[in-house]
Amino acid sequence: MQIKAALRAIVADDHSAVVKGIKTFLERDGTIEVVATAENTLQLAEALHSSPCDYVFTDIGMCGMDGESNSIAFLRRLSRQEKRPKVIVVTMIAHSRMLAGLLQLGIDAIIDKRDSLESLFEAISVTRNGGRFLSPSAAEAVSGLPNNTPARAGVLSRREWEVFRLYASGLLIRDIAKRFGRSSKTIATQKRSGMRKLGLETEAELIEYLRQVGLV
């Protein structure tokens, strides 16, 4: 009797409790082996280099390779590789244009962290057969996006992310400008640029995004 080899997975998230929870759940019946874990995008890149795998379960809110606001730039490069693992994003972000943008990049599945852990196995089953999977909350978010609305999965520059971080802390544009020794107009422009990259059109959408990524 031939024993089927376990699927190999890497789990990446900047919250250790999330990594542990996903790892424990995936390995519960022996069909999946978590061969490496990572807490940031650099560690994820190193894990992929040293530990070949079939699946990557990753957050997108981790610090990027070169100080970017998230791991999207790295995942974009990974998704373009001819031989690569299936990429399953596990995130708290429910902004419809960003999720649609991730799908455009070639991400194989998106799981909302508020959905059941069973979605992890459902994602494996669907993507293993060449399909694309969205957990219930992610599917609901994307379904509400008008067909003519452009998707967005942008990467903020280091300064744009810092402006967002300080803005989330309660500082006004003029206070942020004073801290950086720049004009209020420059800081306001960087804020608008960051919002445009992420597909955020209103102040309410910005506040909700900042909440979802843990800055508020």
Side-chain angles (χ1 to χ4, degrees), residues 26 44 52 66 69 81 94 96 107 125 131:
L26 290 176
L44 174 57
D66 299 306
S69 60
Q81 295 178 11
S96 57
I107 298 302
S125 176

Side-chain angles (χ1 to χ4, degrees), residues 38-64:
E39 296 180 356
N40 55 55
T41 308
L42 178 59
Q43 289 183 10
L44 174 57
E46 293 172 343
L48 283 164
H49 179 72
S50 61
S51 304
C53 66
D54 305 296
Y55 282 88
V56 171
F57 294 84
T58 180
D59 191 15
I60 57 173
M62 305 180 298
C63 181

Side-chain angles (χ1 to χ4, degrees), residues 33-205:
E33 177 189 4
V34 175
V35 295
T37 61
E39 296 180 356
N40 55 55
T41 308
L42 178 59
Q43 289 183 10
L44 174 57
E46 293 172 343
L48 283 164
H49 179 72
S50 61
S51 304
C53 66
D54 305 296
Y55 282 88
V56 171
F57 294 84
T58 180
D59 191 15
I60 57 173
M62 305 180 298
C63 181
M65 293 281 287
D66 299 306
E68 299 113 333
S69 60
N70 55 45
S71 60
I72 291 176
F74 174 78
L75 295 179
R76 180 188 294 122
R77 295 192 294 272
L78 177 62
S79 67
R80 292 173 178 169
Q81 295 178 11
E82 183 177 355
K83 295 183 178 180
R84 65 168 178 85
K86 301 290 186 182
V87 179
I88 298 177
V89 165
V90 185
T91 180
M92 281 292 292
I93 294 176
H95 184 58
S96 57
R97 292 175 71 180
M98 179 172 287
L99 298 185
L102 290 173
L103 295 176
Q104 285 186 356
L105 294 181
I107 298 302
D108 299 288
I110 302 175
I111 297 175
D112 190 302
K113 288 181 178 178
R114 287 157 287 219
D115 288 327
S116 166
L117 283 171
E118 294 295 339
S119 294
L120 298 171
F121 283 130
E122 292 178 43
I124 291 173
S125 176
V126 171
T127 58
R128 195 175 186 184
N129 295 316
R132 182 170 282 178
F133 177 80
L134 295 173
S135 70
S137 296
E140 182 179 0
V142 173
S143 68
L145 189 67
N147 292 332
N148 61 348
T149 302
R152 292 284 188 274
V155 179
L156 304 185
S157 69
R158 187 174 302 183
R159 179 52 58 87
E160 288 166 345
W161 179 246
E162 189 66 9
V163 168
F164 272 25
R165 188 184 67 79
L166 293 174
Y167 187 72
S169 75
L171 292 183
L172 300 175
I173 293 296
R174 64 172 180 269
D175 300 323
I176 300 173
K178 185 179 296 184
R179 176 169 296 197
F180 289 139
R182 296 290 187 270
S183 69
S184 294
K185 182 177 179 180
T186 296
I187 299 303
T189 298
Q190 290 171 337
K191 175 173 170 279
R192 288 195 301 271
S193 174
M195 290 178 64
R196 185 172 60 253
K197 288 180 179 180
L198 298 174
L200 307 173
E201 297 181 347
T202 67
E203 197 72 11
E205 289 182 348

